[in-house]
Amino acid sequence: MRLTRQTNYAMRILMYCAANNDRLSRIPEIAAAYSVSELFLFKILQPLVEHGLVETVRGRNGGVRLGRAAEAISLFDVVRVTEESFAMAECFENDAAECPLVDSCALNSALREALNAFFAVLSRHTIADLVAARPNVRNLLGIDMLVERRAPAA
């Protein structure tokens, strides 16, 4: 099983927002942190907003933030809204190729079991877990530098 680039960056957007939870995050900042195009991130944002994982705030000082607590967003939540298909084999598809074993295939059963195990593991881990695993994540993403630049001079 291989996750799409969209899912990978959806998780990165959420991690950035979780690490930057004291203020709104801006797409240009997130794009710069991950060296990816803003347009690409805007496309990824849509399903995250539609499913309540991210909220957008419009206006001059707008941005994005998590739609719920990072502890309440599992990796499975993200994968479920960003991946189009979980078909691991042709026989998982509705328009499966003709196969005399389709209803009693041991391979099909084993792949379904593997997919369910994959989902179970993703369900046990949250965006908060990913951020907590790297105590210096704010520094790695350049968030602290942005905050310092915006702080008013005393």
Side-chain angles (χ1 to χ4, degrees):
M1 170 125 251
R2 181 181 175 115
L3 298 177
T4 62
R5 189 168 180 244
Q6 178 176 340
T7 298
N8 182 2
Y9 280 95
M11 289 195 196
R12 291 180 191 214
I13 289 170
L14 295 169
M15 289 172 63
Y16 189 99
C17 291
N20 191 34
N21 65 350
D22 54 339
R23 66 179 196 65
L24 292 173
S25 299
R26 294 190 170 91
I27 293 299
E29 296 168 359
I30 300 171
Y34 294 121
S35 300
V36 67
S37 85
E38 293 175 32
L39 183 60
F40 178 61
L41 293 185
F42 275 116
K43 286 170 132 179
I44 294 170
L45 208 54
Q46 184 180 355
L48 298 178
V49 170
E50 285 175 9
H51 290 90
L53 301 178
V54 171
E55 293 177 345
T56 59
V57 177
R58 298 191 183 271
R60 186 169 181 256
N61 294 317
V64 297
R65 63 180 166 223
L66 294 180
R68 56 186 192 238
E71 296 82 11
I73 302 173
S74 74
L75 302 186
F76 178 64
D77 292 335
V78 182
V79 168
R80 188 177 57 223
V81 302
T82 56
E83 291 292 322
E84 287 184 24
S85 171
F86 295 106
M88 294 179 68
E90 193 175 357
C91 50
F92 276 41
E93 303 285 341
N94 289 337
D95 56 348
E98 292 296 318
C99 176
L101 301 176
V102 75
D103 292 325
S104 61
C105 180
L107 173 62
N108 192 334
S109 176
L111 291 176
R112 284 196 193 285
E113 183 180 344
L115 186 60
N116 288 335
F118 177 65
F119 292 156
V121 169
L122 290 178
S123 294
R124 287 196 311 262
H125 297 276
T126 67
I127 295 299
D129 296 334
L130 299 182
V131 173
R134 292 273 187 241
N136 60 341
V137 71
R138 287 179 58 88
N139 188 40
L140 292 170
L141 293 173
I143 293 170
D144 289 333
M145 289 181 0
L146 291 170
V147 172
E148 288 170 14
R149 274 191 269 156
R150 288 191 180 157

